[in-house]
Amino acid sequence: MELRQLAVVVAVAEEGGFTAAAHRLRTVQSTVSTVVRTLERDLGAPLFHRTTHRVVLTPAGEAFLPAARAALEAAARARAAVSPVCGRVRLGVCPGLLADWHRVLAALRGLHPGLAVEVRQVQVGEAGLVLAESTVDVVLTVAASSAEAAAPSADSTADCEFAAINGFAAAHGGDHAATPDLTHVTTPLPGDELVLATAPGGSHSAPADLCELSLVDFPRGWAIREAVDRAFPCRQRSLEVDDPAVAAGLVRAGLAACVLPASAVSRFPDLTVRRFDRPPPWQLAAVHRGDPSPGVVALLAQLG
């Protein structure tokens, strides 16, 4: 029995399904299913009742779950005792970036209880500036695609992140060589993609062109807005909200569709998930200064 198996069982139980657990663990549903089946075979008892619409614990699973949580917590305390990380990390998170970043923080606290994490909201276009001003230590933001990195667009706020750093240095009498080193750390989200959420029922295939659809949008400065602007610049912007749950309500009522990360849509299982033949890029980046502190390294390890 491995700790990874215990973590998968806990995730399935807490998320109520294999697909949602896969998004939480940043893996694919088939891997989660295989891990659970292997563990059930080793234990000689099923841990979950599987139905079309939900997954629930069996009596054996109910008995197993508290012990699995206790084992994971004990392992986390043991790791922290060997290499404790203390101090403070100031984290900037772009809104609309991750559906489960709070789980990253919870896992970090479990491993390093002496590490304090301060979180503030940073819009996509502000990441470079707050790093240059040293008001945060690391920013989670949406990353430019490889094509955009090769040929940056003046309309993309993400492409202006590091221009903002250089501009800040110039305004304070510095130059690029004098600015602190910045390191790009790009962490892809395995098994995640941008999908089109629509009202329950209907096709599971998204149209290549969204110009004819009424869409729910999010405010400028949100990571998902940045990604959707890049992928569908000619779409109709008929509704704008600042809460994914409100967006889901509008979609559920049949008033509009919404482009979201698949991990976010998994929170609303009644909606229809329509996938694109060529999913638009959805990649995140953790941006921090060179020679990161132990706290930043610990945070990046959780993201990876």
Side-chain angles (χ1 to χ4, degrees):
M1 189 181 304
E2 301 175 357
L3 290 175
R4 177 170 174 268
Q5 293 174 311
L6 304 185
V8 169
V9 169
V10 170
V12 173
E14 292 180 350
E15 297 297 333
F18 289 84
T19 301
H23 287 307
R24 168 172 161 178
L25 298 170
R26 299 185 181 178
T27 186
V28 294
Q29 185 269 339
S30 59
T31 297
V32 171
S33 297
T34 299
V35 170
V36 172
R37 282 198 303 268
T38 300
L39 181 57
E40 288 176 327
R41 185 169 59 249
D42 291 345
L43 293 172
L47 298 175
F48 297 98
H49 288 303
R50 299 158 173 85
T51 68
T52 303
H53 300 292
R54 63 176 183 159
V55 174
V56 296
L57 288 164
T58 64
E62 293 280 3
F64 184 83
L65 185 62
R69 286 184 174 132
L72 291 171
E73 291 169 0
R77 289 194 297 271
R79 283 191 293 267
V82 172
S83 58
V85 176
C86 301
R88 179 185 65 160
V89 172
R90 299 166 301 169
L91 172 63
V93 179
C94 295
L97 185 67
L98 284 173
D100 63 347
W101 64 268
H102 59 286
R103 298 190 188 281
V104 173
L105 299 185
L108 188 65
R109 175 177 291 181
L111 284 171
H112 306 288
L115 180 63
V117 181
E118 298 177 3
V119 181
R120 60 169 290 188
Q121 181 172 292
V122 174
Q123 293 192 348
V124 173
E126 296 177 346
L129 183 61
V130 295
L131 281 168
E133 291 177 332
S134 296
T135 55
V136 299
D137 302 307
V138 57
V139 177
L140 302 187
T141 185
V142 63
S145 67
S146 57
E148 288 167 328
S153 167
D155 295 329
S156 172
T157 54
D159 293 329
C160 298
E161 300 288 4
F162 301 100
I165 297 173
N166 293 337
F168 179 85
H172 291 75
D175 56 26
H176 180 71
T179 59
D181 181 34
L182 288 172
T183 303
H184 256 119
V185 179
T186 302
T187 305
L189 297 178
D192 206 358
E193 60 181 320
L194 288 184
V195 299
L196 183 68
T198 60
S203 171
H204 288 268
S205 177
D209 187 353
L210 303 186
C211 294
E212 302 302 320
L213 292 180
S214 175
L215 293 178
V216 181
D217 249 313
F218 297 96
R220 287 191 177 277
W222 278 51
I224 183 63
R225 172 65 178 268
E226 173 73 13
V228 176
D229 278 349
R230 292 173 178 173
F232 307 105
C234 297
R235 71 191 186 284
Q236 295 184 38
R237 297 178 177 87
S238 55
L239 296 166
E240 185 175 290
V241 300
D242 61 359
D243 185 339
V246 174
L250 294 170
V251 172
R252 188 176 295 113
L255 298 174
C258 187
V259 178
L260 286 167
S263 57
V265 180
S266 67
R267 297 165 54 193
F268 313 106
D270 59 316
L271 300 182
T272 295
V273 176
R274 303 177 64 179
R275 287 185 157 79
F276 298 96
D277 288 339
R278 295 183 178 180
W282 177 249
Q283 191 174 49
L284 308 183
V287 187
H288 58 90
R289 297 185 186 279
D291 191 23
S293 68
V296 170
V297 172
L299 174 61
L300 295 176
Q302 290 301 313
L303 291 170

